[in-house]
Amino acid sequence: MTDEHNEAPKSANERREQLFQAMRKGGGAWDWVRARETYYEHPDPRTVRRDLEQLRKAGRVFRDRETGLYEAVGY
């Protein structure tokens, strides 16, 4: 859990927004393990991967095909 989180997000959209903001702030390439550390409560790995893929489909992050890591777009 990071210091920025006061409570767990109430919806999937809030959870994904928190993840995206953490990716922007943290910079660099992210895998699901690093992404999971940003959640208030550690969810199932499938949830983290689904959130990363939903952010990718929305055009907010991209996934490197060679490494499989995600990065926030334009940051």
Side-chain angles (χ1 to χ4, degrees), residues 52-65:
L52 287 166
E53 278 301 302
Q54 289 300 317
L55 287 170
R56 184 190 62 77
K57 288 177 182 178
R60 301 185 81 189
V61 300
F62 73 91
R63 183 174 187 215
D64 184 294
R65 290 181 186 221

Side-chain angles (χ1 to χ4, degrees), residues 35-53:
R36 189 177 189 205
E37 295 300 315
T38 69
Y39 289 78
Y40 183 77
E41 296 175 356
H42 293 304
D44 180 38
R46 291 175 292 188
T47 300
V48 180
R49 291 184 187 114
R50 182 174 42 244
D51 287 349
L52 287 166
E53 278 301 302

